[in-house]
Amino acid sequence: MRHSNSGRKLSRTPAHRKALLHNLAKALLIHGKIRTTEMKAKELRRVVEPLITLAKRNDLHARRQAYRVLNDHALVKRLFDEIGPVFAGVPGGYTRVLKLAMPRKGDNAPMAIIELSRVAEPAADDKPARGKQTAAPQVAPAGETKGKAADESAPADALEAKPASSGTPKAEKEPGQDESSAA
Amino acid sequence: MAVQQNKKSRSRKGMRRSHDHVAVPAVIYCSCGEPTLPHSVCPNCGAYKGRQVLAKNENE
């Protein structure tokens, strides 16, 4: 019987597996998009999506539960303050796994990209164009107002970010995310 | 230990191996014209479902 046999073991001991998935979860939340093997990407959904659900709950207990996985107060803060609001009103499907056609050289492992299905706009110089293409069809069924607000704020943010010219991508991200969360 | 009584002929060997073959991969043609696997990001142009997923220099 396969009762209670959900999940993948990934050829690791329980502690090793837990550490691996926690590290992958941190990497995904920091970078928004990571490349790993297809099996790890699929297993990672079971860790990251509950974290985003915690971020949407946004209370002290949820923060402490997220800290148990992330073990990083700065990252928990970023998850709750920046990533959580992006997914407000989204009923699941927070991540997307895209399979890559070329397996890994060396062990022929099938590779995939896992990314957060929505990105706070605008993130970087080349991303607004790409983000708009994807955001328009995705956001349309959920709520049109959010997509419109993001599109309108995009040019304004680009102007605001340039005079600041801090150069760091994090600094450029912050004004956009503040506006999108307010909108 | 069980030991075969007779040598298998070349014919018998060939008959046994007639079903040994490598699976033919499913191939589709990406909108960029290159062959790729279905349900996967095209390694040539880095696009999937009309969305640019990889920058071109990111490809392997």
Side-chain angles (χ1 to χ4, degrees):
Chain A
M1 289 187 290
R2 57 157 298 281
H3 296 175
S4 308
N5 283 347
S6 65
R8 296 167 180 82
K9 291 187 177 178
L10 300 173
S11 305
R12 280 158 176 85
T13 61
H16 188 181
R17 187 162 55 239
K18 185 176 157 190
L20 168 77
L21 291 171
H22 287 187
N23 285 335
L24 285 173
K26 283 186 222 173
L28 178 59
L29 292 176
I30 291 169
H31 299 288
K33 172 176 166 179
I34 59 172
R35 173 205 202 99
T36 179
T37 66
E38 189 185 323
M39 286 302 118
K40 284 177 200 162
K42 288 187 170 181
E43 193 63 15
L44 182 56
R45 295 180 300 193
R46 295 162 60 93
V47 178
V48 168
E49 302 211 358
L51 281 178
I52 291 172
T53 307
L54 286 176
K56 288 166 72 177
R57 219 171 75 200
N58 196 16
D59 53 30
L60 181 62
H61 184 44
R63 277 176 193 265
R64 286 176 175 166
Q65 284 174 307
Y67 180 76
R68 279 169 59 87
V69 173
L70 299 176
N71 204 19
D72 179 347
H73 287 299
L75 191 54
V76 170
K77 185 170 164 48
R78 192 163 158 229
L79 169 66
F80 278 68
D81 297 347
E82 297 176 21
I83 298 172
V86 175
F87 291 97
V90 183
Y94 308 130
T95 60
R96 181 185 298 126
V97 174
L98 300 164
K99 288 181 257 189
L100 298 177
M102 295 300 288
R104 182 160 63 192
K105 204 172 179 178
D107 65 355
N108 207 32
M111 301 301 285
I113 286 175
I114 181 167
E115 62 186 8
L116 299 177
S117 60
R118 293 180 188 217
V119 184
E121 316 184 39
D125 293 340
D126 62 331
K127 278 186 182 173
R130 203 195 297 170
K132 269 181 200 171
Q133 280 181 347
T134 61
Q138 287 172 352
V139 172
E144 289 182 9
T145 55
K146 197 183 167 192
K148 279 179 190 171
D151 286 350
E152 286 166 8
S153 66
D157 288 343
L159 292 177
E160 284 173 21
K162 275 177 187 173
S165 72
S166 54
T168 61
K170 198 178 178 184
E172 286 176 15
K173 274 179 193 171
E174 280 168 356
Q177 279 151 351
D178 291 341
E179 284 194 15
S180 63
S181 62
Chain B
M1 193 178 78
V3 178
Q4 66 175 20
Q5 190 166 17
N6 299 104
K7 176 177 181 172
K8 290 282 182 288
S9 68
R10 285 187 291 275
S11 168
R12 288 276 163 200
K13 185 171 72 181
M15 282 191 248
R16 184 177 67 242
R17 292 183 183 173
S18 69
H19 295 287
D20 297 354
H21 46 71
V22 176
V24 179
V27 173
I28 60 160
Y29 287 90
C30 174
S31 54
C32 71
E34 288 293 311
T36 182
L37 297 178
H39 311 293
S40 61
V41 177
C42 173
N44 181 56
C45 62
Y48 180 59
K49 284 189 171 176
R51 207 169 74 92
Q52 194 69 25
V53 178
L54 293 171
K56 278 206 168 181
N57 54 13
E58 254 186 290
N59 298 341
E60 275 185 346

